[in-house]
Every structure is written in structure tokens, then in C-alpha cells.
């Protein structure tokens, strides 16, 4: 029997119901991870390790995209083998699913298992419960609880990415709130989606707190590299269109020069322009421009 065809409004309502269920589950999952953190032997957060030489981590924002089938993943390759194929090309990935759904302990252990013995590092996007629902207000414990992921991942842990909402404009009070919530000794990155945050007061506060400002290549945001810590972090969303832009060689060359001139100890770069597999080809092209050995 054929499934009934839903109207646009019905699809939207179904999607919103699913998202609301996710938000409710996030509270429950956060509570479970809180208990895990408190009962674990290693209760202290995993501290970030300073790099002795310049280290590059370049990959994509996510790796499981159906539209990468036959574009990046060979025809006939089972989905269970997609990560292994991705890990042959890149040694890091930015987990975005964790924004919508707070990861369980079992999920994080699955990340460990699928990496196997490969030299592979995960960057994890913080759950929207912290950044969008509570907007960093009274989230110190939640930040610590989400940070327990680093305890599980150990040396496979990269950064925690905290993305603020586009409607979240700069104010001194909001800046103070963010800094007070995220100072926990881990490698924390803040991505702003409103141009008002590109200002010297923000840079100064983040430098003093050793927090990483996320530089963005995205429509209507300043196209520049900002360094507030020993590490730099860049997300490529698309210069002219979100998620769809295919970066030219000249555009990537310009960023390569910025990256070299920043003289950072550790560089984290993730391409989020997944449409048409652009993220894959652009990430590989930047690796070549930076002359990074595989």
C-alpha cells in the first residue's frame, strides 16, 4: 500500500514534532550524562594538549550524506563502510548531529570503535540545549556534562564547537555570560552567526579566557581570519551561498595565505558546503595548497 502524500504544511508539522521530541530527549540524555560524569573515576575534564609543532586537522562537517553516494562513496558501497572510506581521505570530522541530539555514552563509544586504530580525531558540536534553548544562561553544569564526551574519547577528542544563534547579537552582557560558562580548560570554540561579534572587545575577552573564535567563510559574515588562542578554527559554509558554494582555487589560496600568516600551533578546518560533494574536493584542494603531508 502506497504511503499517503503529505502536504507542505503536514510535512512541516511532522518535522517540528520530531524536533520537539529531540529537544525533550536532550534534557533526559543530558541528565544521564550528568550522572555518568559524577560517578566516573576521571571526573576532571580532559585538558587540551599544546602542539609542539604546527598541526593541521582538515576535514568535513559530517560524513554521512545520502547525496555523497556515487559522488564520494562508490556505487554499491554499503553505508556501514562509509566511515572507513571517509577516514581514508581525512583524519578528522566535525560531528554536527550532536547539535540536534545529545549523544549517549553508547554513541560516543561507537565513534571510538569505528575509528579503530586509525589516527583520527573528532570535533563535536555542542547540543542546542546549551546554545539555542538556554542561550548559555546557567549552563555551566551542562557544559561540564557535555564535556564528559572528551573523557570518553580521550586522545581522539578535538574541539567542542559552540554555535550561537543568528539572532544572538553582541552585547557586553552576553559576551560575559559566554566567557563565564565556557572556561573549563577544554578546547572550546565559539561560532557566531551575527556580524556584530566581529569586534575587538570580543577578541580581547576570548584571548584572556583562552577561548577560540571560529572564523567563518559564509554569506553576510566578515571574510577574515580571527585568532584569539594558540589554535585557529575555520568553518567553510560557502562564500556566496550557504552549503552550496564551490570554492575556487583563488579563494582557497587566499585562505591558505591567511592560515600560514596566522602562525598558529594547531589549525582546525572543516568544510560544511556538502552540496554536490564540494566539501570533499575543497578540503583536498586546501590540503594541497598548504602542502600538508598525508
Amino acid at each position: 500500500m502506497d504511503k499517503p502524500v503529505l502536504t507542505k504544511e503536514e510535512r512541516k508539522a511532522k518535522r517540528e514534532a520530531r524536533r520537539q521530541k529531540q529537544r525533550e530527549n536532550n534534557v533526559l540524555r543530558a541528565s544521564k550524562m550528568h550522572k555518568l560524569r559524577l560517578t566516573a573515576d576521571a571526573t576532571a575534564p580532559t585538558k587540551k594538549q599544546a602542539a609542539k609543532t604546527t598541526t593541521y586537522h582538515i576535514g568535513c562537517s559530517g560524513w554521512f550524506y545520502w547525496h555523497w553516494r556515487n559522488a564520494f562513496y562508490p556505487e554499491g558501497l554499503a553505508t556501514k563502510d562509509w566511515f572507513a572510506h571517509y577516514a581514508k581521505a581525512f583524519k578528522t570530522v566535525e560531528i554536527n548531529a550532536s547539535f540536534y541530539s545529545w549523544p549517549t555514552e553508547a554513541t560516543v563509544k561507537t565513534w571510538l570503535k569505528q575509528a579503530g586504530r586509525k589516527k583520527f580525531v573528532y570535533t563535536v558540536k555542542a547540543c542546542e540545549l546549551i546554545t539555542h534553548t538556554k542561550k548559555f544562561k546557567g549552563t555551566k553544569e551542562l557544559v561540564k556534562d557535555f564535556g564528559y564526551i572528551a573523557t570518553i574519547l580521550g586522545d581522539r577528542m578535538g574541539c567542542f564547537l559552540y554555535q550561537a544563534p543568528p539572532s544572538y547579537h553582541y552585547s557586553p552582557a552576553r559576551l560575559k555570560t559566554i566567557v563565564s560558562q565556557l572556561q573549563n580548560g577544554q578546547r572550546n570554540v565559539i561560532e557566531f552567526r551575527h556580524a556584530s561579534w566581529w569586534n575587538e572587545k570580543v577578541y580581547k575577552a576570548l584571548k584572556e579566557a583562552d577561548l577560540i573564535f571560529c572564523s567563518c567563510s559564509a554569506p553576510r559574515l566578515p571574510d577574515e581570519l580571527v585568532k584569539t588562542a594558540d589554535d585557529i578554527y575555520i568553518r567553510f559554509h560557502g562564500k556566496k551561498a550557504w552549503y552550496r558554494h564551490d570554492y575556487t582555487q583563488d579563494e582557497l589560496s587566499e585562505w591558505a595565505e591567511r592560515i600560514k600568516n596566522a602562525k598558529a600551533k594547531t589549525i582546525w578546518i572543516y568544510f560544511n558546503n556538502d552540496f554536490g560533494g564540494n566539501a570533499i574536493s575543497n578540503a583536498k584542494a586546501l590540503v594541497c595548497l598548504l602542502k600538508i603531508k598525508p
Side-chain angles (χ1 to χ4, degrees):
M1 186 176 179
D2 294 335
K3 292 182 179 180
V5 178
L6 301 178
T7 65
K8 183 178 180 180
E9 290 73 20
E10 287 173 332
R11 290 197 302 272
K12 184 178 179 181
K14 188 176 181 179
R15 185 166 58 250
E16 181 52 38
R18 184 171 63 250
R19 291 287 292 116
Q20 182 57 35
K21 185 65 176 178
Q22 280 182 317
R23 295 184 187 104
E24 293 170 1
N25 285 338
N26 284 338
V27 176
L28 297 174
R29 290 182 172 189
S31 178
K32 288 182 179 179
M33 192 159 279
H34 176 73
K35 292 176 182 177
L36 278 173
R37 178 174 67 83
L38 294 183
T39 57
D41 292 333
T43 54
T46 300
K47 301 294 183 180
K48 58 183 181 180
Q49 301 297 318
K52 295 180 180 179
T53 58
T54 302
T55 306
Y56 290 90
H57 300 276
I58 300 178
C60 301
S61 299
W63 55 271
F64 196 98
Y65 294 104
W66 289 110
H67 53 276
W68 284 7
R69 190 201 295 267
N70 299 335
F72 175 57
Y73 298 118
E75 184 178 358
L77 183 69
T79 54
K80 67 180 179 64
D81 297 321
W82 281 13
F83 179 83
H85 186 81
Y86 174 89
K88 289 178 182 177
F90 305 104
K91 303 305 178 188
T92 186
V93 71
E94 183 185 78
I95 300 290
N96 276 318
S98 51
F99 171 81
Y100 301 101
S101 183
W102 188 296
T104 63
E105 181 186 26
T107 296
V108 180
K109 287 183 175 179
T110 297
W111 299 343
L112 275 176
K113 184 178 179 181
Q114 70 183 6
R117 296 183 178 181
K118 298 182 182 71
K119 190 177 180 181
F120 197 90
V121 176
Y122 293 96
T123 276
V124 186
K125 190 173 180 180
C127 183
E128 65 174 346
L129 176 62
I130 297 171
T131 59
H132 286 55
T133 303
K134 293 185 175 292
K135 293 183 172 64
F136 299 101
K137 291 182 178 178
T139 57
K140 267 192 175 182
E141 285 300 300
L142 283 174
V143 168
K144 290 178 183 177
D145 297 336
F146 199 83
Y148 183 68
I149 291 172
T151 301
I152 303 173
L153 288 179
D155 59 5
R156 296 200 182 281
M157 182 69 217
C159 304
F160 285 108
L161 172 67
Y162 293 84
Q163 180 198 306
S167 60
Y168 196 73
H169 298 195
Y170 165 77
S171 78
R174 285 176 170 176
L175 175 60
K176 185 177 180 180
T177 296
I178 289 174
V179 170
S180 68
Q181 300 299 291
L182 297 187
Q183 273 188 289
N184 64 348
Q186 294 181 334
R187 190 179 272 110
N188 290 332
V189 182
I190 305 97
E191 181 185 26
F192 299 107
R193 290 289 180 90
H194 192 273
S196 60
W197 291 92
W198 272 255
N199 72 69
E200 291 299 329
K201 291 181 180 179
V202 173
Y203 307 155
K204 183 176 184 293
L206 296 191
K207 284 178 182 177
E208 291 174 351
D210 196 25
L211 297 173
I212 306 167
F213 186 100
C214 178
S215 301
C216 297
S217 175
R220 297 177 298 282
L221 291 178
D223 191 63
E224 59 186 78
L225 195 156
V226 177
K227 182 184 177 188
T228 61
D230 288 338
D231 298 36
I232 57 174
Y233 194 105
I234 309 166
R235 298 188 88 201
F236 286 88
H237 299 292
K239 187 171 183 178
K240 298 178 181 178
W242 286 89
Y243 319 123
R244 291 175 173 267
H245 184 71
D246 186 7
Y247 286 89
T248 66
Q249 194 75 357
D250 286 344
E251 289 168 345
L252 291 175
S253 294
E254 185 176 355
W255 273 99
E257 285 305 308
R258 293 172 181 171
I259 292 164
K260 292 173 184 176
N261 293 334
K263 300 187 185 309
K265 290 184 178 179
T266 309
I267 296 97
W268 306 85
I269 301 169
Y270 295 100
F271 283 81
N272 197 27
N273 54 331
D274 59 88
F275 186 81
N278 293 332
I280 301 156
S281 58
N282 291 168
K284 289 181 176 180
L286 186 58
V287 168
C288 292
L289 286 169
L290 292 170
K291 299 178 181 179
I292 304 168
K293 295 180 180 180

